[in-house]
Amino acid sequence: MLSIVWRAAGLLDPGTRRGLVLGIPVALAVTLLELAGFLALAAVVQVLAAPQLLHEAGPDTLVGLARRVAHPHGLTDFVATVGGVAVTLLVSRGIAACALAWWQAGLLARAEATLSARLFRTFMGTSYEFHLQRHSADLMRTVIMSVRYLTSRVLLPGTTIIIDASLILGLAMALLVMEPVTALVSIGALGGAMGTYLFLVRRWARRMGVDDERLMSRDQRIIQEGLRAVKVLTTLGRRGAVVRRFETARSEHTYALRGLFFISNLSRYYLESVVLLVMAAAAGTAILGDADVLASVGVILAGSMRLLPSVQRVLAMANLVRVGVGSLEQVEKDLAAAGNDIKRSAEHDDPQPVTFERCIEFRDLTYRYPAAPTPALDSINLTVGIGESVGIVGPSGSGKTTLVDVLLGLLQPTCGGIYIDGVRITPELVHGWRARIGYVPQDTVIIDDTVRRNVALGLDDDEIDDVAVERAIAQAQLLDTVLAMPDGFDSMLGEHGVRLSGGQRQRIGIARALYLHPDVLVLDEATAALDTETEKQIVETIEKLYGKITVLVIAHRLSTVQRCDTRVVLDRGHVTNRRGPDAQPVGQPAR
Ligand SMILES: Nc1ncnc2c1ncn2[C@@H]1O[C@H](COP(=O)(O)OP(=O)(O)OP(=O)(O)O)[C@@H](O)[C@H]1O
Ligand SMILES: [Mg+2]
């Protein structure tokens, strides 16, 4: 079980791990304080139970030892002095334990925050293909909930177990020295009972943790998808159906949760019964032997009173660690998968510059989505000269968005590649290449923030160039709309941009792409959602860029790409027609 805690600690940053390890000797010192306090108390209990021990006890016994230290003038003096020492030690222990717990809580909070951030950083560092295969609700669950459970079910109980187990060991040893036979029977019986209990519930506890992780992710998916689809569900009149699905999911989750809530109490009920038996056995052994019965039983009783809460905590915490294995495995699995993806895609964060002075070439480019039966793009050969404007049209599902995604380096070609001025875009160059591209996706993502921060997405406030934001907004034909908003460029757009029309959202996307003066502008049906008049205005804006920068326009309507230098028709992953500026068909004729 400690190996589980160790595995979890292995995921933490070295500083936090060192702090947690350092806590162990400090905890042991606190335990020693408590042991000393307990021994002093035990001496008082023994003397009170059998006053003659004050004079008769041998020098090697506990009472003898206390007598030598305290030099008492009689029974009352002994009780007052040794009792005072006991109280002082135990109160100091209480204060020290409290300080230690506060310090450890800080470490655990830091552990959770840094591990969560590490996971998010790793997920954000993965390729776009990784995200195509993973549900965002699952990744969110791992970053937030699995890490929370890893801390609260594995690391926190782990530290408590180490403290309590050392106390149990210390007390057991002290009892063994004081009352060997009686203590041996009690400790043997209690140890056996603890071992049996842990053995019996370990599998059950682990399964509940694994189930909890799996079901939590399913619950979250239903909520996320239900809330995202609230508009269409309302029109379909099916909000109730989603709620029912959630209710069913939650009720299936009840079994795992019930076990989780129950298991922490189970150890208490179990121990209470076992302890009664152990006590009886201890008293029996003491009576059968010729020990000073009352004193022996008194010490064992005092020891048990202190021991029991610790034993119960160890049992409960050990269960919790088992429950936490599910979260630990989830975090390890996702970190490994994301880490492998990052290694495989080998993208470098520090962009290496890419020179673009002549042309972009798609050479024998084939792309097949993972697990797709046929390629979405099949041996595409296409050259786009610098400053050229290219319109790409084709029926739905013909591979237009896929072509753009490969050009952006979001998808790695299955065969062939993208060449800029004859240099192949490898993962090392992809960041440098992307830095030159302004991209307007088919469905623009709007964050619940201001117009300004949406246009300069991802930049810190002090990095945002307000003049460039205004220019980009004006180019996207949105200046009047923004100026009419109550807070102008500081107006909040709402979740998914709910305070904007579909076309306005799309124009924010266009402004975002134009903000950085790109060398290449890629528009994936960027104007499809607009009315003809607005589309005409934006197309005119974009047309003004023709000749100045390279533009790739994907559109359904031929009218959108009419004034492009070149028009390309895609069909089922093939270029079926390419018309140059002279309107001469190139390649196969269009059907
Ligand atoms: N993540 C994916 N996994 C598997 N297949 C996919 C994936 N994304 C797209 N496809 C498939 O690849 C093909 C090309 O899709 P793509 O999105 O490039 O089409 P498109 O030309 O942009 O269509 P539209 O005009 O409707 O946007 C389609 O047959 C689609 O089903
Ligand atoms: Mg598309």
Side-chain angles (χ1 to χ4, degrees):
M1 190 197 47
L2 282 180
S3 66
I4 299 171
V5 181
W6 192 241
R7 245 168 76 192
L11 293 169
L12 308 179
D13 61 298
T16 315
R17 195 167 49 230
R18 257 198 311 276
L20 286 174
V21 173
L22 197 72
I24 298 175
V26 180
L28 291 180
V30 174
T31 307
L32 279 181
L33 268 184
E34 170 149 35
L35 268 180
F38 165 75
L39 290 177
L41 204 61
V44 173
V45 170
Q46 278 184 331
V47 169
L48 283 177
Q52 72 277 12
L53 281 178
L54 186 58
H55 306 292
E56 290 170 8
D60 295 335
T61 62
L62 193 60
V63 176
L65 197 69
R67 201 175 48 209
R68 257 192 293 156
V69 176
H71 301 297
H73 299 298
L75 182 66
T76 325
D77 193 24
F78 181 89
V79 171
T81 316
V82 181
V85 169
V87 169
T88 312
L89 285 172
L90 290 174
V91 169
S92 318
R93 179 260 164 200
I95 294 168
C98 188
L100 177 66
W102 175 250
W103 180 55
Q104 276 178 330
L107 280 174
L108 289 174
R110 201 174 99 191
E112 182 176 321
T114 49
L115 182 56
S116 208
R118 178 180 162 201
L119 272 164
F120 187 56
R121 195 180 326 114
T122 312
F123 290 156
M124 291 302 275
T126 54
S127 69
Y128 176 64
E129 280 163 318
F130 177 83
H131 292 270
L132 287 181
Q133 292 162 64
R134 294 298 306 263
H135 200 293
S136 59
D138 292 359
L139 299 184
M140 205 145 83
R141 183 258 345 252
T142 307
V143 172
I144 303 286
M145 292 317 290
S146 305
V147 173
R148 162 65 49 87
Y149 287 149
L150 180 74
T151 330
S152 63
R153 291 177 180 173
V154 180
L155 291 174
L156 178 65
T159 55
T160 318
I161 287 177
I162 291 168
I163 296 171
D164 278 312
S166 56
L167 180 74
I168 293 171
L169 272 181
L171 273 175
M173 269 161 25
L175 289 177
L176 268 175
V177 172
M178 283 186 281
E179 305 293 339
V181 183
T182 327
L184 201 65
V185 175
S186 327
I187 292 164
L190 208 58
M194 280 174 76
T196 313
Y197 175 81
L198 287 177
F199 180 77
L200 287 179
V201 297
R202 60 204 278 261
R203 288 228 171 125
W204 187 47
R206 184 183 179 283
R207 214 192 73 211
M208 278 184 310
V210 173
D211 283 353
D212 189 30
E213 282 284 327
R214 185 175 50 80
L215 295 170
M216 197 159 48
S217 142
R218 192 184 58 176
D219 297 348
Q220 205 163 328
R221 280 183 193 205
I222 301 175
I223 300 176
Q224 198 169 308
E225 288 170 356
L227 291 176
R228 197 179 289 161
V230 76
K231 187 171 183 183
V232 67
L233 286 169
T234 311
T235 57
L236 290 168
R238 289 185 203 147
R239 281 188 186 196
V242 176
V243 173
R244 278 194 296 282
R245 240 181 84 213
F246 185 68
E247 281 167 354
T248 315
R250 286 305 303 192
S251 67
E252 280 169 23
H253 204 151
T254 319
Y255 178 73
L257 284 180
R258 181 187 195 165
L260 281 175
F261 298 149
F262 174 68
I263 205 164
S264 50
N265 286 326
L266 180 64
S267 58
R268 207 180 77 217
Y269 301 134
Y270 176 81
L271 260 191
E272 278 167 3
S273 317
V274 166
V275 161
L276 269 178
L277 294 174
V278 171
M279 291 281 202
T285 325
I287 291 164
L288 285 179
D290 59 355
D292 195 320
V293 175
L294 206 52
S296 287
V297 174
V299 169
I300 294 289
L301 254 178
S304 314
M305 292 313 277
R306 182 57 200 88
L307 209 56
L308 274 183
S310 286
V311 172
Q312 202 252 317
R313 258 204 307 275
V314 166
L315 287 190
M317 295 293 144
N319 282 337
L320 210 52
V321 170
R322 291 258 169 241
V323 170
V325 172
S327 307
L328 172 63
E329 285 173 352
Q330 191 65 57
V331 170
E332 285 178 335
K333 204 169 79 191
D334 283 351
L335 258 183
N340 284 339
D341 177 83
I342 291 172
K343 246 186 254 151
R344 190 187 53 78
S345 56
E347 288 183 11
H348 289 264
D349 264 343
D350 46 332
Q352 295 183 25
V354 173
T355 43
F356 173 43
E357 285 161 0
R358 283 185 288 120
C359 61
I360 305 168
E361 289 168 275
F362 298 79
R363 288 195 200 164
D364 278 330
L365 185 93
T366 297
Y367 182 79
R368 184 198 294 266
Y369 282 101
T374 51
L377 295 174
D378 199 354
S379 303
I380 301 281
N381 282 293
L382 189 68
T383 303
V384 179
I386 189 163
E388 190 176 345
S389 54
V390 179
I392 301 172
V393 288
S396 180
S398 55
K400 303 183 296 297
T401 299
T402 310
L403 189 76
V404 167
D405 288 350
V406 175
L407 177 68
L408 288 162
L410 295 173
L411 304 175
Q412 290 297 314
T414 315
C415 290
I418 305 280
Y419 292 74
I420 309 302
D421 288 359
V423 177
R424 186 188 164 95
I425 294 299
T426 53
E428 291 79 34
L429 292 177
V430 85
H431 281 270
W433 170 230
R434 272 184 211 143
R436 295 182 167 274
I437 307 178
Y439 163 58
V440 188
Q442 204 164 352
D443 41 357
T444 290
V445 174
I446 303 287
I447 55 165
D448 185 10
D449 213 322
T450 60
V451 173
R452 187 191 315 278
R453 290 197 193 130
N454 264 288
V455 172
L457 185 72
L459 291 182
D460 287 334
D461 281 352
D462 54 1
E463 295 173 316
I464 298 178
D465 176 351
D466 287 343
V467 178
V469 170
E470 189 171 335
R471 175 190 45 80
I473 284 283
Q475 281 182 309
Q477 309 293 326
L478 206 60
L479 195 55
D480 292 344
T481 314
V482 172
L483 291 179
M485 289 178 176
D487 296 314
F489 284 88
D490 291 316
S491 308
M492 299 291 287
L493 299 184
E495 192 180 356
H496 305 305
V498 283
R499 282 180 216 128
L500 295 177
S501 75
Q504 287 166 343
R505 278 200 284 273
Q506 206 55 19
R507 278 182 279 166
I508 291 277
I510 294 170
R512 190 181 283 159
L514 293 173
Y515 171 72
L516 276 181
H517 284 297
D519 294 332
V520 183
L521 182 64
V522 180
L523 302 118
D524 188 354
E525 290 178 34
T527 52
L530 306 179
D531 62 285
T532 355
E533 186 49 37
T534 317
E535 182 182 23
K536 207 169 128 237
Q537 286 170 9
I538 291 189
V539 168
E540 275 167 21
T541 310
I542 296 165
E543 281 170 358
K544 282 190 199 130
L545 299 168
Y546 290 179
K548 295 192 187 111
I549 63 172
T550 311
V551 187
L552 262 82
V553 188
I554 287 171
H556 274 140
R557 286 192 280 263
L558 262 172
S559 59
T560 317
V561 296
Q562 212 161 26
R563 296 190 52 200
C564 285
D565 300 328
T566 309
R567 288 180 299 285
V568 175
V569 181
L570 260 189
D571 191 14
R572 275 171 282 180
H574 296 274
V575 174
T576 56
N577 197 348
R578 184 183 192 281
R579 281 170 190 269
D582 51 0
Q584 290 303 311
V586 181
Q588 276 178 270
R591 277 172 296 169

